[in-house]
Amino acid sequence: MEPVSRSDRGEDARAVLIDIDGVLTVSWEPLPGAVAAVEWLRASGVPFALVTNTTSRTRASIAGRLAEAGFPVAENDILTAPAVTAAHLREHHPRARCLLLNAGDIRDDLTGVTLVDAPDAPDAPAGLDPDVDVVVIGGAGPQFGYDALNRVFRHLRLGARLVAMHRNLYWRTADGLDLDTGAFLPGLERAAGVEAEITGKPSAAFFAAALSHLGADPSRTLMVGDDIESDVLAAQRVGVTGVLVKTGKYLPETHRAASGTPDHVLDSFADLPDLLERLATGSG
């Protein structure tokens, strides 16, 4: 294991934000040592929240799946991009009629949001619902075909606002890297002449929601992630200590080409307890 870097931030850290996919699990299978590390956090009384851009499952579903894998977590420990998106829509687009494009059913986490079902006819792009106020883009998958993207494009051209849960380019599955929303979103923005409102990581609002959820001070909080830009450097921009793990979507070339430097780099999440102990004693 490479030595971690020294940083003035993160001394005596009192809370931890943890990405899930690529940090704790890959394709929902626990990474080596991850369960034990979360058990250590729980036993040590370290407040933590699992913060994820995952849009394929609800918070309850994620909690259930992780509990089945042995993680000592419950629904209240989890903050998702869909849940933060719902809060954003309720505050900034109240009573808006929203068209959702997403791989997976997350409606239970979109409380207080009025969803408009897309037309099912083969010529749906020509038969648009004129009352769509906001197009909401979640995670990419088979649903992101030409007809669906063209339908979104036409709604945007008619004046609908664009809200996206994240800009992730790809994620790690058991079969390798798969494309995500960030591979499609810039094309929609450029074609329609709009800019998406981003609600999940790396938005500052997402991290503010996570810190508020824990009642944590950013200067005494760590963010552990496998995405150097969206997880680690974005957290550092709001005063949170960034910890990059070399699992999941981590690639050495992406690390070298990043726009900044993580406060700490670990081989895996299993190394977090050791880092926290060293920070607490001032030896990290």
Side-chain angles (χ1 to χ4, degrees):
M1 183 178 71
E2 294 182 5
V4 294
S5 60
R6 286 298 301 266
S7 172
D8 291 333
R9 293 188 297 175
E11 298 293 332
D12 195 18
R14 298 299 177 89
V16 184
L17 305 178
I18 309 163
D19 185 32
I20 298 175
D21 193 23
V23 176
L24 299 181
T25 66
V26 169
S27 293
W28 299 104
E29 291 298 319
L31 287 166
V35 171
V38 176
E39 289 175 337
W40 183 92
L41 292 175
R42 187 69 84 194
S44 301
V46 177
F48 67 86
L50 310 186
V51 291
T52 176
N53 278 346
T54 297
T55 57
S56 60
R57 294 174 179 257
T58 62
R59 294 171 66 220
S61 175
I62 292 170
R65 183 66 184 84
L66 291 175
E68 288 174 3
F71 290 98
V73 299
E75 182 176 350
N76 192 53
D77 295 315
I78 299 167
L79 187 65
T80 66
V84 173
T85 299
H88 175 87
L89 291 169
R90 292 193 300 267
E91 178 179 357
H92 298 284
H93 303 285
R95 297 176 297 281
R97 290 167 56 87
C98 302
L99 178 66
L100 174 66
L101 177 59
N102 180 67
D105 187 2
I106 53 172
R107 291 169 182 259
D108 287 350
D109 276 354
L110 297 177
T111 54
V113 177
T114 300
L115 294 177
V116 178
D117 289 329
D120 294 326
D123 59 346
L128 296 176
D129 183 338
D131 295 326
V132 170
D133 303 305
V134 180
V135 172
V136 182
I137 305 291
Q143 295 83 351
F144 278 54
Y146 177 82
D147 284 348
L149 291 170
N150 197 43
R151 184 180 303 127
V152 165
F153 165 67
R154 292 192 178 188
H155 276 302
L156 297 176
R157 291 287 295 171
L158 288 174
R161 303 292 293 271
L162 179 60
V163 172
M165 297 186 191
H166 60 76
R167 290 187 181 274
N168 293 358
L169 289 170
Y170 48 80
W171 79 97
R172 173 78 62 181
T173 73
D175 297 322
L177 296 177
D178 281 357
L179 286 176
D180 208 344
T181 303
F184 304 93
L185 189 58
L188 284 173
E189 290 177 308
R190 183 173 179 182
V194 300
E195 183 175 351
E197 302 166 30
I198 306 298
T199 54
K201 296 177 293 184
S203 72
F206 185 92
F207 288 105
L211 291 167
S212 176
H213 179 73
L214 287 179
D217 185 286
S219 67
R220 298 169 73 84
T221 303
L222 274 71
M223 170 67 212
V224 186
D226 64 329
D227 187 319
I228 189 169
E229 296 289 349
S230 293
D231 291 338
V232 179
L233 300 183
Q236 290 178 191
R237 286 194 289 272
V238 299
V240 172
T241 297
V243 181
L244 178 66
V245 292
K246 295 183 175 182
T247 55
K249 68 172 64 174
Y250 174 87
L251 295 171
E253 57 268 33
T254 304
H255 187 175
R256 290 191 296 268
S259 61
T261 303
D263 292 310
H264 304 278
V265 179
L266 302 177
D267 283 345
S268 74
F269 186 76
D271 298 323
L272 182 66
D274 179 63
L275 172 62
L276 289 174
E277 289 182 334
R278 284 185 284 127
L279 290 175
T281 61
S283 60

